Amino acid sequence: MEQRAIRKRSAQADLRGFDEIETAMESISPVDRESILSFMKSAEFENICYEVAIAACMPGDPAPHLLKLTETFEISLRRYAGIEEGNTKVIAEAIFAEITAISWREVNRHQKESGIKKRGMTPEIITAHIASAARNAQIHRKLSNLAEIDQFSLRLSQQCARIHGQIRPAQTESGTRVPFEDLYVHPVLTVGQNDDDRDAFDSARDLLRQVNRLVVLGDPGGGKTTLALKLTLDVARGLGTGAALQAPLRVVLRDYATHYKSDQTSLVEYLEKQCRADYATSAPEGAIEYLLLNGRAVVIFDGLDELTDTSLRVAVVDAVEAFTHSYPTTPILVTSRRVGYDMAPLDENLFVVSNLAPFNPSQQRKYVKKWFAHVKATSNKERMAERFITESSHAQDLTANPLMLGLMCALYRGEGYIPRNRPDLYRRCSEFLFERWDASRGISIAQPFERGIQFAMFSLALSMLQNSGESVGMTERELVRYTSNYLFGQQYEDRDTADAAAEAFVRYCRGRAWVLTDVGTNPGGERIYSFTHRTFLEYFSARQLVRDSGDVISLYGKLRSHLMNESWDVTAQLAVQFLDERLSDAANEIVKLALGDAQEMVEFKSRAALVSFCARLLEFVTLRPVVVREIVSALYELTISNPLSETAPESVPSSTAWSGLCMCASETRAVANDALLNSFNASEGGYDEAQYVISLAGQVPRNASPEVRRFWAEQDIENARSIPLLDLARQDPRAAAAAVLFGLLDATEAIEWHGTSIMLRCDISPALATARTHNVVSELTHPRVRWNLDDKERIAGEVVDALIASPTPWMEGRQPFVTFYTQLSEVPNYAACQLLSWMLGREGNTGIDESADISGFGLHGMFVHVAKARTSEEFDKSSISQYRSHFTPAFSEFLDRWCLREISLSTATSNLDATMARE
């Protein structure tokens, strides 16, 4: 309906050209004309154009919305140009009519282009835009000029650029600041679930330009806050999401939550307080509201995951969503940890969710070289960087984390070696930071980091973690009191000595930004301090949990509720590892307790959380084979008993559980696979169950080693051969599609059984947390290691030959998966699959309407040439002759017939498709 409305409005849009505008502007001076041009380069003008484009998407009458926009446009134009009201009205009407016509035609064109899926204009979103336009018209009527607001916006941006232009690496001595660009490495942001159905961006700003509302999910220490600061800095320096200047408004959500909980402070009120307190820039009355309503601000909400109190997080999520509805044209970025985000996610109709990918080897190398080149007191910088890169190759999973990579760089510079496992690495890093860094720099301290103080830090961390739902940290007075209470009787006999040691320790930590950092103030104005990096809060907490727990039952009792609500994921993993080092078989016993608990639970969500934790633990702890079998059996049973559904997507264990299973120790991989096969055979299930047995290669994390990827790819093939996949293929077309890809079934025979649409099904692998998977044709466009290692080219040839020999159309409706390529394969059968996938997508995107614009249909020039051949009135075979060498003669002949429109690969299935095609 939305697309239909857009087409109608685009067809009715009247492009009058410059004549009418020139007539309206005849009496305007050259100076005023330049003022009008200046307005048309402003954020206000850009925002109005965006709202006009939104109006094209409304299924109802856009006239009321346009009326408010026209009023706002006229007031803004008058304010910028300073010309008489009568003349302004005539000019505004002429320009606004032209803007509307151009915008609506552009929206219609962009409907046909590829890229990140555009969310529909739901009634709720449309209502928000109409309400926003009305409020904006009111605020424009109240403002006589924008001088104060302009000055405030400029001053705020300048302050942000000064404050955030340099960073203090957490791995270095207090006081060392490095220009942001000297250390920053662009991360990769991905949107989409499958490896081959994923858009990648190296800039949050570029992605935010496309989607306007973005959630960035990442792992602890993965660079979420650094990315948020980079966007803040970019916007402050004039590199925002629009063409005009914008001001950055960054909110640390843990700080806001304190104010919200104490007095229900709104986000706008908090932003006003923050500008005054943090940036020494007071906002004029209504300035924040004006910036938000007129596209002159970018808002960054950092650290949603740090609100561990579920009810408080839900309240803050509601506040963020209400803010989003109030300012529908304001670009918004939210950062959060990946684990636990689903407990209180933001509305998927408002926000696009992206994932912050771990550093790849190239990014790691770049960061290491920058670190050693720009952090002080490093001799032989290039040589040391190269040695570090070589010697840390065994810890690829850890060096993929930016925080851990920086700490490892500092540790390597100080100690000359890299610890071999995660707990030892955390231990060494913490000892290095707390005990040895100052000494290595020749700095003496009043109180050494003695053993008792170390244990006090462990206890302090656990206390903060346990109370993180109620507060974001402790005041200096609370820190001293807590530390003194711990030391009194533990290490010191008298209170005065304990107080003195506690005060010295708190001063020591407070003065080092890599230990404790100021995170805001309480209602009484006292500074609140918390751990700078949650990773170390979790590490120290895990150490204290194990010190407090004398045995397995005690530790599990402390972890149980947190495992079920997934709030202490890293802490729990580390605690289990630490206890396993101290007590033989501790990890195995804890897993048995968790699995036994899960078996008795009725509530699925808690049961799934326990099983998922056990599966993910396999990546970090080597368990007994019998326990590995129990985990695999529990995970398999849990997954197949609750298939993915649109009504309850949370009823499926996270794909991270299956990823953890794939990352188990090398000596237990074969055991895990055998247990999975046994579980399937015992279930006597159909393809719904079998697909998990032959899809493990698709669950291997992206940072896994090639050896791990090869193992599971080969196991998928072996499993496909050992289960009755061919028997299932006769009954289930999904099984037949998988059998073709594994080289177990001839494509012609599969088509005889189930028809040509079998090659275009998108449900041949388990969904888990993935929205969809690829079909046979698209899978063969990227011959991946998962499928038959020897016969992929032969299989691709059989599929192409079988399809082009079959009557068309091959499928009904739209092809949901479309891939565009920068390079054509030199293998004819792979190249044919590339083009077939594109042809199906071409028809799917435009229905059976072949008269639409053909730009943007692929990254390779071949796609444009083929599209032109398909849409031209007289097909000239020579127009695509340069690409014929990529294909077999039979496929070239088939392509000619498609370009001549003698055949169509798909057919519309609804009256709506047909109506849209006619229009």
Side-chain angles (χ1 to χ4, degrees), residues 202-221:
D202 64 2
S203 166
R205 182 167 58 94
D206 291 343
L207 180 51
L208 201 57
R209 280 174 168 171
Q210 294 196 34
V211 301
N212 207 45
R213 304 290 162 75
L214 179 66
V215 175
V216 175
L217 302 181
D219 295 323

Side-chain angles (χ1 to χ4, degrees), residues 120-161:
M121 287 293 126
T122 66
E124 187 179 26
I125 293 175
I126 291 171
T127 301
H129 278 280
I130 294 173
S132 170
R135 292 205 323 278
N136 200 17
Q138 289 178 345
I139 201 169
H140 271 274
R141 284 196 294 269
K142 292 178 182 178
L143 292 172
S144 58
N145 67 72
L146 300 179
E148 269 193 303
I149 293 177
D150 290 341
Q151 290 173 6
F152 161 72
S153 178
L154 180 61
R155 170 73 175 165
L156 178 61
S157 292
Q158 290 172 341
Q159 290 290 83
C160 284

Side-chain angles (χ1 to χ4, degrees), residues 725-726 729-730 732-733 735-756 758-759 776 780 788 791-803 805-806:
L725 187 60
L726 284 178
R730 290 183 177 274
D732 194 318
V740 169
L741 284 168
F742 281 118
L744 304 179
L745 177 64
D746 183 78
T748 302
E749 190 171 9
I751 289 175
E752 289 176 357
W753 290 352
H754 300 291
T756 50
I758 186 178
M759 301 301 171
V776 172
L780 291 169
N788 193 301
D791 297 333
K792 286 180 290 192
E793 186 176 348
R794 174 187 61 80
I795 294 168
E798 290 179 357
V799 169
V800 172
D801 290 344
L803 279 174
S806 301

Side-chain angles (χ1 to χ4, degrees), residues 339-340 343 561-569 609 612 616:
V339 174
M343 293 174 60
S561 62
H562 299 288
L563 295 179
M564 290 191 293
N565 63 26
E566 300 179 298
S567 59
W568 283 9
D569 197 63
S612 178
R616 286 183 281 112

Side-chain angles (χ1 to χ4, degrees), residues 611-612 615 630-640 653 657-658 661:
V611 173
S612 178
E630 290 179 21
I631 293 174
V632 174
S633 176
L635 180 60
Y636 177 81
E637 180 183 350
L638 194 74
T639 304
I640 66 172
W658 287 92
L661 174 64

Side-chain angles (χ1 to χ4, degrees), residues 251-271:
V251 177
V252 178
L253 286 174
R254 66 168 181 253
D255 197 5
Y256 168 68
T258 302
H259 293 261
Y260 175 84
K261 193 171 182 179
S262 63
D263 57 10
Q264 299 292 296
T265 302
S266 72
L267 279 164
V268 171
E269 291 170 337
Y270 177 74
L271 285 168

Side-chain angles (χ1 to χ4, degrees), residues 157-233:
S157 292
Q158 290 172 341
Q159 290 290 83
C160 284
R162 291 190 188 103
I163 292 171
H164 302 303
Q166 291 185 315
I167 55 175
R168 182 182 291 113
Q171 310 87 3
T172 63
E173 70 274 19
S174 177
T176 297
R177 296 175 70 88
V178 178
F180 206 102
E181 291 75 11
D182 286 352
L183 205 56
Y184 186 73
V185 173
H186 285 282
V188 173
L189 285 169
T190 61
V191 178
Q193 299 293 340
N194 297 316
D195 283 346
D196 301 327
D197 189 20
R198 185 179 282 121
D199 294 307
F201 301 82
D202 64 2
S203 166
R205 182 167 58 94
D206 291 343
L207 180 51
L208 201 57
R209 280 174 168 171
Q210 294 196 34
V211 301
N212 207 45
R213 304 290 162 75
L214 179 66
V215 175
V216 175
L217 302 181
D219 295 323
K224 302 180 296 296
T225 294
T226 303
L227 179 137
L229 286 172
K230 180 62 166 65
L231 179 62
T232 303
L233 186 60

Side-chain angles (χ1 to χ4, degrees), residues 500-514:
E503 289 173 359
F505 172 71
V506 170
R507 283 197 304 272
Y508 169 81
C509 293
R510 186 194 61 194
R512 284 150 180 81
W514 39 260

